[in-house]
Amino acid sequence: GAGVSQSPSNKVTEKGKDVELRCDPISGHTALYWYRQSLGQGLEFLIYFQGNSAPDKSGLPSDRFSAERTGGSVSTLTIQRTQQEDSAVYLCASGAGAGYNEQFFGPGTRLTVL
Amino acid sequence: AQTVTQSQPEMSVQEAETVTLSCTYDTSENNYYLFWYKQPPSRQMILVIRQEAYKQQNATENRFSVNFQKAAKSFSLKISDSQLGDTAMYFCAFMKHSNNDMRFGAGTRLTVKP
C-alpha cells in the first residue's frame, strides 16, 4: 500500500496479558515513530527509530513497553502485563528523515484493556 | 522539557468564516520546527502546515496560514473560508532541531457549522 498501515485496528485484551501491535511504514522511509493517544488527549511520544541508529526510547512509560524494528522496515510495539491505564490509541508514523520532513501517520490501533 | 499548550479545547465556526486556533510553547532551544496536524473522525493524522523557527516569514498553505511569533513563543493557525471538511481535532506540535522528540499539544476540537 501507499500509506502507513497498522494492525490490528482494534485490540481488546485482559489485564495482565501481553499484546503486540504492528506497524508497516511507507517503503523507503527511514524514520519510524510510535505515539500513544489517550481519550481526549494529545499524542504522547513513545519511541523513535532512525535507520540503523539506536532507537530513542526516552518516551516509553515503563519497562513493560518495548519496540523493535526489523530490517529497517516493520516495527512491533509490545506491551507486557497490560494494565487498564494502557488503554489508548497507539499511532505509528514514518518519515523520510528527522526534523522538518513530514511524518505520515497510520490509522492507529485502539487498545482496550479490561 | 518542551511543552506545547493549546488553550482552546473546543471551538466552532460558521462555514465560510475565518477561525484562529491558538498554540504556545515553551523551549530554550533556538532551532526547532512547528507543525499543525489535523485529525478528523477517521483518526487519520494529516499534516496541515509547518514552520521552521529560523524563517521569519509565516507559512501559508492555501486556506491555512500561521502567525508565528518567535519571541512570544506563539504559533497560531488561521483557517480562512472554513469548510465542513475542516471539522476535526487540530494538534499543534513542536520538534527540536537536535533530536526527533515531537511534542504535541492536547488539541482543539473544531466544528464547522453549516
Side-chain angles (χ1 to χ4, degrees), chain A:
Chain A
V4 178
S5 61
Q6 292 186 246
S7 61
S9 56
N10 287 283
K11 176 72 176 178
V12 180
T13 190
E14 294 179 347
K15 178 181 174 181
K17 300 282 190 181
D18 298 351
V19 295
E20 285 189 352
L21 312 180
R22 177 186 170 106
C23 172
D24 284 83
I26 292 173
S27 178
H29 278 189
T30 58
L32 188 147
Y33 298 77
W34 281 99
Y35 298 92
R36 178 169 69 176
Q37 185 177 25
S38 301
L39 185 64
Q41 301 295 314
L43 275 69
E44 175 188 4
F45 167 80
L46 296 178
I47 189 169
Y48 164 74
F49 296 89
Q50 173 59 50
N52 295 321
S53 302
D56 178 353
K57 304 179 181 179
S58 60
L60 294 178
S62 76
D63 59 7
R64 296 187 295 106
F65 289 73
S66 63
E68 290 185 344
R69 188 178 186 192
T70 55
S73 181
V74 172
S75 179
T76 302
L77 177 69
T78 301
I79 309 173
Q80 296 178 311
R81 305 180 303 281
T82 52
Q83 303 294 313
Q84 289 184 330
E85 59 263 31
D86 299 334
S87 296
V89 174
Y90 289 82
L91 291 166
C92 173
S94 72
Y100 189 80
N101 290 303
E102 179 179 352
Q103 293 187 22
F104 294 82
F105 282 81
T109 294
R110 182 179 297 279
L111 174 66
T112 303
V113 182
L114 302 176

Side-chain angles (χ1 to χ4, degrees), chain B residues 1-38:
Chain B
Q2 281 63 234
T3 59
V4 180
T5 302
Q6 293 179 250
S7 59
Q8 305 151 314
E10 294 190 21
M11 292 193 72
S12 63
V13 63
Q14 291 296 132
E15 194 174 7
E17 299 285 305
T18 295
V19 65
T20 298
L21 309 183
S22 302
C23 174
T24 59
Y25 56 94
D26 182 26
T27 186
S28 58
E29 298 287 319
N30 191 48
N31 293 324
Y32 49 87
Y33 309 97
L34 295 163
F35 306 82
W36 277 98
Y37 277 87
K38 167 185 177 181

